[in-house]
Amino acid sequence: MNAYVPPKIFPWFNLLSLGFPVLMTGYILLIIFWVFSWKKRAFVFMLAGLLFLTPIKRWINFSSEKKETGSKIKVVSFNTRAGTMGKDEVIHYLKSQDADVILLQEDGGMEYPALKDYNRTASNGVLSILTKHKLSNEKLIKSADEELPAALQADIEIKGKTYRFVNVYLYPFKFEKEMVRLNGNSDANEEKLKDIIKRLIPTFKKHQGQVDLIHENIESSPYPVIVTGDFNSVPNSYEYYHLSKGLEDAFLTAGRGSATSFHDYKFPLRIDYVFTTQSIKAISYVVDRSVSISDHYPVISELSLVEK
């Protein structure tokens, strides 16, 4: 329903999308219970479960190995949390990746002396794009009444062809761990849940305006588009459906295993993405869990570019 119903009209579908892993786990456990109880409804629910295969694959996927065709580039998308967990570590990591394009969220206006060979967009304290290639036409995407930009776009010329990169950072929920950590006190937990919902609903509605603005810019692009970033939204959400409209999810094409990218809470959350114009094919998609230098894991994707 999130593909059709905007949060400003009915935000509760978007709220349910946050609990999709729990809902699906409950669904599967019920089927198993009914199978062992010899209930005919188990088979009905098994067949109905086929409808959820693609939604499940947005969280956990096992794609086949892709063959490399034509020229390719390596793209890294990473919410660095402004280097608060180690600026030197962040810089060293980015340098070691030797990526063609690096798209950073919450970069805090950091300097990257080790990446002096990269061209970089102007610092705005939130979003940065760095590339080894020719960079032009950078533009912040934001509405007049918003303090933070919803996205940063720039055109990058690679091997004589121009591609538009859109680095997304939707408005954050601004939760602290203690705000979402439940304990044995039922009254306190009830108040926490109410406070969480009070924060979530207005943010969903704010996201709707940001998503519409970003989508307009994507639709008007004269070039093939690569969209990455921290969407602060899970798969199956309104934000996911509308920002991926007409694009391919690189994880669905080339990802393997879990796409969980935010690890600060002990709950599976995929909120970082790489989407591409359909003519650009993902060869690989990796959530790099080998480093914990932010509350997000870096997302790395190799893309096969359009050759004409």
Side-chain angles (χ1 to χ4, degrees):
M1 294 304 297
N2 279 323
Y4 310 103
V5 182
K8 289 181 181 179
I9 293 176
F10 190 78
W12 296 95
F13 289 133
N14 228 25
L15 190 66
L16 279 176
S17 70
L18 292 171
F20 184 79
V22 175
L23 294 172
M24 287 310 304
T25 300
Y27 189 90
I28 292 166
L29 290 175
L30 276 175
I31 291 175
I32 293 171
F33 173 75
W34 286 330
V35 166
F36 283 99
S37 301
W38 296 98
K39 301 290 186 182
K40 292 180 181 180
R41 70 176 72 107
F43 300 100
V44 176
F45 276 76
M46 279 185 189
L47 290 173
L50 296 175
L51 298 171
F52 298 113
L53 284 180
T54 297
I56 289 171
K57 286 173 67 177
R58 294 183 186 127
W59 296 78
I60 301 174
N61 191 26
F62 296 95
S63 64
S64 59
E65 188 171 347
K66 300 294 182 292
K67 293 181 180 179
E68 297 184 13
T69 56
S71 60
K72 67 174 183 177
I73 60 168
K74 183 177 183 180
V75 174
V76 174
S77 178
F78 189 19
N79 181 321
T80 64
R81 202 180 181 183
T84 55
M85 296 175 68
K87 290 186 178 182
D88 291 341
E89 289 81 358
V90 167
I91 293 171
H92 175 75
Y93 178 80
L94 296 176
K95 176 68 174 177
S96 70
Q97 289 305 304
D98 193 32
D100 291 274
V101 184
I102 300 171
L103 302 104
L104 304 175
Q105 307 88 44
E106 284 192 52
D107 80 321
M110 278 179 59
E111 296 296 329
Y112 302 94
L115 302 175
K116 61 180 182 297
D117 295 332
Y118 282 71
N119 297 310
R120 180 186 177 184
T121 53
S123 177
N124 55 69
V126 182
L127 295 162
S128 283
I129 298 175
L130 299 95
T131 179
K132 295 178 177 180
H133 306 278
K134 183 180 177 182
L135 182 72
S136 63
N137 298 328
E138 61 183 86
K139 171 188 172 184
L140 283 174
I141 301 174
K142 60 181 293 189
S143 60
D145 59 342
E146 292 286 339
E147 180 183 352
L148 297 175
L152 167 67
Q153 74 178 39
D155 296 336
I156 298 176
E157 184 181 319
I158 303 172
K159 296 185 177 180
K161 188 170 180 65
T162 301
Y163 301 86
R164 177 155 293 173
F165 284 78
V166 182
N167 188 12
V168 175
Y169 180 62
L170 297 186
Y171 192 81
F173 291 104
K174 297 183 178 180
F175 284 130
E176 298 294 337
K177 282 185 181 179
E178 189 54 39
M179 295 167 63
V180 298
R181 184 183 290 122
L182 303 181
N183 52 44
N185 188 323
S186 58
D187 290 337
N189 288 342
E190 184 179 347
E191 287 302 315
K192 282 186 177 182
L193 288 172
K194 287 180 180 178
D195 186 54
I196 289 171
I197 292 172
K198 285 179 182 177
R199 286 174 177 265
L200 288 173
I201 300 301
T203 304
F204 290 151
K205 294 177 180 180
K206 188 184 289 284
H207 282 181
Q208 180 183 334
Q210 292 182 313
V211 166
D212 292 346
L213 193 59
I214 295 168
H215 185 67
E216 286 176 13
N217 279 267
I218 293 172
E219 285 283 286
S220 64
S221 172
Y223 309 117
V225 176
I226 296 98
V227 181
T228 79
D230 174 5
F231 292 11
N232 279 305
S233 308
V234 296
N236 315 317
S237 64
Y238 175 89
E239 295 90 332
Y240 177 94
Y241 280 115
H242 288 266
L243 281 176
S244 66
K245 191 174 182 179
L247 304 175
E248 287 194 357
D249 183 339
F251 177 70
L252 279 177
T253 304
R256 296 182 184 181
S258 169
T260 297
S261 57
F262 182 78
H263 61 88
D264 211 27
Y265 305 151
K266 305 304 178 185
F267 186 84
L269 286 174
R270 179 193 179 196
I271 58 177
D272 300 273
Y273 302 88
V274 176
F275 297 149
T276 68
T277 298
Q278 292 181 6
S279 57
I280 300 173
K281 299 299 179 184
I283 301 168
S284 67
Y285 184 103
V286 175
V287 179
D288 191 352
R289 297 184 178 85
S290 68
V291 292
S292 293
I293 51 180
S294 171
D295 50 359
H296 293 245
Y297 291 122
V299 171
I300 305 166
S301 187
E302 288 185 317
L303 306 174
S304 177
L305 298 179
V306 184
E307 288 190 346
K308 289 185 179 180

